[in-house]
Amino acid sequence: MLLGRYMHLHKGKGRRTGSVLDRSAYILLSRIRTQGPMSIGQLGDAFGLDASTLNRQTAAAMRAGLVERIPDPEGGMARKFRITEEGERRLDEERTGLVASLDRIMADWPEEDIAAFAGYLRRFNSDIERLHGMPWPRPHTTERL
């Protein structure tokens, strides 16, 4: 709870100080970047959200120029959402800000403590995903976030 309070400028707004994306846009863009173009149905399955919620989120992301609708690259009937260059840029900017915030929090931590914390956090997230049956695809990277 303290991390959430530290990272957010306005309670309940889903934004950290200096944020360029709200929480739902950050999560949406992160998933599309990792998994590739996705339909509303695929996003619903991935997040456990109903179509009306996702329609609102994707419409806002489209208005902001963060995603675009494209025909299914695999020839399916449903149109899919693809991240735009602007979406990529703002996602990268947001991630950089998040990492900088975490770096300030852990400035005095020894590297081995940071590595242990990252390992436990990965395990914690994986267990949540397993319990909910909704794994998050991850690129193979050494990135902290």
Side-chain angles (χ1 to χ4, degrees):
M1 289 188 313
L2 290 175
L3 178 61
R5 187 162 53 180
Y6 173 79
M7 300 294 272
H8 292 82
L9 173 62
H10 302 289
K11 185 176 182 179
K13 296 283 185 182
R15 296 177 71 97
R16 115 188 117 68
T17 302
S19 179
V20 295
L21 293 173
D22 68 25
R23 181 178 167 271
S24 63
Y26 181 82
I27 293 168
L28 178 75
L29 294 177
S30 294
R31 186 63 179 246
I32 293 172
R33 174 190 270 172
T34 301
Q35 197 162 336
M38 298 178 74
S39 67
I40 287 288
Q42 289 170 318
L43 290 166
D45 291 343
F47 296 129
L49 295 173
D50 61 71
S52 64
T53 299
L54 287 163
N55 280 322
R56 282 191 301 277
Q57 290 179 1
T58 55
M62 283 181 58
R63 281 191 304 276
L66 306 175
V67 297
E68 60 189 352
R69 288 189 75 154
I70 61 168
D72 184 346
E74 297 166 5
M77 295 297 293
R79 293 178 55 83
K80 294 193 173 187
F81 293 93
R82 173 175 60 195
I83 191 169
T84 63
E85 285 184 28
E86 176 66 8
E88 294 270 1
R89 186 192 67 73
R90 289 183 50 194
L91 182 59
D92 289 341
E93 186 178 341
E94 185 69 15
R95 182 162 287 162
T96 298
L98 289 167
V99 170
S101 293
L102 292 173
D103 284 345
R104 282 191 299 278
I105 293 168
M106 297 183 279
D108 296 330
W109 290 31
E111 283 299 316
E112 59 270 10
D113 287 355
I114 293 171
F117 179 75
Y120 288 129
L121 191 56
R122 258 189 305 281
R123 181 179 172 189
F124 181 80
N125 286 336
S126 294
D127 285 347
I128 289 172
E129 293 166 5
R130 179 182 48 78
L131 287 171
H132 287 275
M134 296 168 56
W136 187 274
R138 290 177 178 80
H140 298 287
T141 179
T142 58
E143 200 177 320
R144 277 203 238 171
L145 284 181

